[in-house]
Amino acid sequence: MSELLAPAGSFEALVAAISNGADAIYLGMKQFGARAYASNFDTDHLKSAIEYAHLRNVKIYVTMNTIVFEDELEAMKQMIDALYTARVDGVIIQDLAVFEYVVQTYPDLEAHCSTQMGIDDAEGTLLFKELGAKRVVLSREVPISKVKEIKKIVKLPLEIFIHGALCVSYSGNCLMSGLIGFRSGNRGRCVGSCRKPYTLIDETNAITYTSCYLLSMKDLNTIDQVDQYKDIDSLKIEGRMKEPAYVANVVSAYRKALDGTITKTEKDNLTKTFHRTFTKGYLFGEDKKNITNITRPNNFGYPIGTIASKSELGYKIHLEDVLNQNDIIRIDHNGEDVNLTVVKMYDAKKNYINSSSTSCYIQIKEDLSIGDIVYKTKDVKFYETIQKSYPKEYKRFPIHLIVSAFEKQPLIIHATVEHTQITYESKELLELARTNATTDETFKTQFNRLMDTVYALDSLEFYHDEVYIPAKLINEARRNIVEQLNEKRLFRQENRLPKKVLPKLHFAKKNPTLAVYATTQEQYEAAKECGIELIYTEKNTIRRNATQYPPKTGPLLIGGYGGLYSYRSSNEITTDFSLNVVNSEAVYKLHALGVHRVTLSHEMNKTQILQLIENYKKQNDGLPNLELIVYGHTHLLFTKYCPLKKYNLCNSCKKNQYYLKDEYEKFPVISHTDCTTTLLNGKILNLIDDINTIEDISVFRLQFTIESKEETKEIIEMFKDRLAHKTTNKLFSKETNTRGHFNKEIL
């Protein structure tokens, strides 16, 4: 049976999820989780959460799915130590350093590969199975047919998202929030830059399209497809930022769907808590044209009526569903929203009313039009109902009792719950009854007062003389048995492995060289004409979402773990920035896996790079082999979605250059041959002033995307001059030049 995995951004949300049938909970701590703005848990609250969950046979997984910088490695390890001591069942991980610490230290703490790792094929899953993962959370872009194929091939527990918010970018491959909002998504602080309105511009033909929420994804809803994935090991609901009522509503619906008892009304109730309209997602082949909601980025609600007329009573709403006093509504007026709480509503005779299913009048100061659609975004009656669903016991665990009650002997009770057995023995001895001896029914009635526990009396074997057992003694026995059962069921023997002595891996120091990534044939020719020996192109690059791994020779640039698994026998592998490497232990692990050179993440600043190199040298008595991108329009996000399709512009990418524009700048759109899309920063990353101040970088890469052949040659020559300690920096203006994350800490 599949595990139903629910989110909890607070203890109340955790209780709501468990009360409505969740099998497992994932939550975050104050550090290292990808939802830094959720309430999250501290160590004391975590212990309470684990005790509450484990007594109900619900597992707890903690998200440590952010990248971890060099100066945070010790704090990360201390956090994992604390999680293990608190009896967490598993840790959801992005960073290789976190992964390695878990699997090499705690064999019975499950290491789950987060969707942030970008694993979307059997090859990447096989790699982490080999490295010790107990579960892989597949990318949201993987179709259900491929999920099942991976499960069949790899035979490792898999987890998929089945409901909730979607990222437009492949997870882990979005720098948009960090580079234009200065809050890194890979550090759990995404500001939702994709939820802003953008204008599509055809630069080639000077055409500007209507501004809309072009990158704002609908919410995933697969309630109608449950039968197609109920054999997958874990089914995840997104929503650690959501309120407890949302968690209760969604968990309840999917629990009933998995159990085969859900009704149409219960499915429809999914619209009564936060949603951005729904999509079946890439999981079930949603058309890219329909996967975004371009009209609004926030709670959509559901339609309940229209504006019918205006009079001295206010606006009349013709209702197709019930409207209650204190409901929250929004009215769509010419594409703009009017939002309000219905504090007062009237009937046609000017009487105050608190509910209507036909029509009502409300007073609104804004101008509306006849026919404007009214949506309900919060139904107070529904919220009252859903909030009554917690706290409660979704199920109670049956206790089986064997009771011995004999004269001059202590009361002895053997209690069994599932596989847990305990024994209670009273201090006092029993006496024969003078009048009414205690019967099995009397004992059962007294013992069965268990409503404040997770247990229920199921069976009783009562062996006895005609003795009298005081109610006080039965109550004491009940309390003691519950305490013993709880303690024994919560106990876990700790098992920590001794620290391994790792072989030292280091590389010889050499003078830095330039590499070029060429997107176009002209850029490739320019690099060759400038004497660049190491040139990456689409032919020797294995991107993050590669689906096939044909034989290749020569230097390879690998952007995903599936590619690393497939080509690791090559001795010329460079991993790309998309692996988000930001610490020395991740660099070491990649070198140990056969990676020749590691490209550092765009998210690092100069201080962090120098710290990484210094610590690597201390641990390995020598240098790592590192590559650093020092020029280019930085990749803001990489997505399976294509914004051009929204305007029926398929294939026009082959002849026209497109941009997205917000209120500040333009972002070049790069369309790939497989119809995936890269959105670039409009400003140019330029670290020419820094390349001679960072020692021990082997290769500085220039990343060319939309540059002409002439621009490419000029930029290459300029960087060559700087490496030769000349001072040329004439090509960049203040308007286009950026140092990205390089000279600042991005939170």
Side-chain angles (χ1 to χ4, degrees), residues 517 602 628-634 684-688 691 700-707 711-712 715-716 718-719 731-732 737-738:
Y517 187 96
H602 284 299
L628 182 66
I629 298 173
V630 293
Y631 167 84
H633 289 279
T634 312
I684 298 170
L685 174 71
N686 171 23
L687 301 183
I688 192 168
I691 60 175
F700 293 110
R701 189 198 310 172
L702 312 179
Q703 191 94 4
F704 294 107
T705 48
I706 60 174
E707 292 84 356
E711 288 173 323
T712 300
I715 293 163
I716 292 171
M718 183 176 61
F719 274 86
L731 198 63
F732 300 101
N737 177 31
T738 176

Side-chain angles (χ1 to χ4, degrees), residues 675-687:
C675 292
T676 56
T677 303
T678 296
L679 189 66
L680 302 175
N681 198 348
K683 295 180 179 179
I684 298 170
L685 174 71
N686 171 23
L687 301 183

Side-chain angles (χ1 to χ4, degrees), residues 82-94:
L83 297 181
Y84 184 76
T85 300
R87 304 187 305 278
V88 164
D89 297 286
V91 182
I92 304 170
I93 299 164
Q94 174 182 188

Side-chain angles (χ1 to χ4, degrees), residues 202-431:
D202 177 349
E203 189 85 351
T204 306
N205 298 302
I207 300 172
T208 299
Y209 295 86
T210 305
S211 179
C212 60
Y213 296 98
L214 198 53
L215 301 178
S216 185
M217 300 282 276
K218 295 179 180 179
D219 285 356
L220 183 64
N221 179 346
T222 64
I223 198 80
D224 290 326
Q225 289 81 28
V226 163
D227 288 342
Q228 297 185 52
Y229 58 67
K230 61 194 310 180
D231 58 333
I232 304 303
D233 304 276
S234 183
L235 310 174
K236 176 179 273 184
I237 295 165
E238 184 279 337
R240 280 191 291 137
M241 296 289 288
K242 300 295 197 305
E243 60 187 337
Y246 171 93
V247 175
N249 184 31
V250 178
V251 170
S252 175
Y254 279 88
R255 177 76 279 155
K256 291 172 182 175
L258 287 167
D259 294 343
T261 62
I262 195 167
T263 65
K264 182 181 184 303
T265 297
E266 288 164 335
K267 289 182 181 181
D268 292 343
N269 284 344
L270 290 171
T271 65
K272 293 185 177 181
T273 45
F274 187 101
H275 70 101
R276 299 180 178 90
T277 69
F278 291 125
T279 172
K280 60 187 177 181
Y282 298 120
L283 187 65
F284 290 102
E286 183 71 86
D287 190 325
K288 294 180 184 181
K289 190 174 181 178
N290 298 326
I291 207 163
T292 56
N293 181 0
I294 63 174
T295 62
R296 57 186 295 106
N298 45 24
N299 192 11
F300 193 85
Y302 60 99
I304 61 167
T306 55
I307 300 297
S309 62
K310 183 180 182 181
S311 69
E312 70 278 1
L313 289 174
Y315 285 101
K316 182 180 180 180
I317 303 177
H318 173 73
L319 292 169
E320 297 172 358
D321 204 336
V322 176
L323 180 63
N324 301 302
Q325 186 179 22
N326 295 321
D327 283 348
I328 299 176
I329 62 174
R330 71 174 182 88
I331 303 168
D332 186 347
H333 176 65
N334 296 331
E336 298 290 331
D337 285 343
V338 176
N339 297 283
L340 71 149
T341 300
V342 180
V343 178
K344 295 179 181 179
M345 48 193 298
Y346 309 87
D347 63 16
K349 297 180 180 180
K350 298 185 180 181
N351 296 315
Y352 285 118
I353 56 175
N354 54 26
S355 183
S356 177
S357 60
T358 56
S359 65
C360 68
Y361 292 84
I362 60 174
Q363 294 182 347
I364 305 172
K365 62 182 179 180
E366 289 87 357
D367 289 329
L368 302 176
S369 300
I370 307 305
D372 285 350
I373 299 176
V374 180
Y375 297 83
K376 188 186 293 190
T377 56
K378 184 171 184 179
D379 184 327
V380 293
K381 297 295 184 183
F382 178 75
Y383 267 67
E384 288 172 4
T385 300
I386 202 71
Q387 286 165 348
K388 289 176 183 176
S389 72
Y390 61 90
K392 69 175 184 182
E393 298 305 330
Y394 182 75
K395 62 180 179 180
R396 293 184 184 273
F397 298 93
I399 296 182
H400 305 277
L401 296 182
I402 301 175
V403 179
S404 297
F406 295 98
E407 181 190 8
K408 305 300 183 182
Q409 298 293 320
L411 174 65
I412 298 175
I413 304 174
H414 300 286
T416 303
V417 172
E418 295 181 321
H419 303 296
T420 303
Q421 297 179 337
I422 61 96
T423 299
Y424 167 83
E425 184 174 320
S426 68
K427 294 179 181 178
E428 60 187 271
L429 305 180
L430 301 177
E431 300 290 343

Side-chain angles (χ1 to χ4, degrees), residues 439-450 457 460 474-475 478:
T439 66
D440 56 350
E441 286 301 319
T442 305
F443 188 94
K444 182 184 293 186
T445 300
Q446 191 67 32
F447 192 92
N448 205 22
R449 297 174 179 176
L450 292 162
L457 182 59
L460 171 66
I474 299 175
N475 291 338
R478 183 182 66 246

Side-chain angles (χ1 to χ4, degrees), residues 11 15 36 48 51 78 136 167 188 200 221 234 262 395 411 436 483 496 573 578 593 609 664 712:
F11 191 86
V15 172
S48 298
E51 181 173 315
Q78 291 171 12
V136 166
C167 292
L200 180 67
N221 179 346
S234 183
I262 195 167
K395 62 180 179 180
L411 174 65
N436 296 324
E483 288 174 3
R496 178 173 178 142
I573 289 177
S578 51
L593 288 171
I609 293 173
Y664 301 111
T712 300

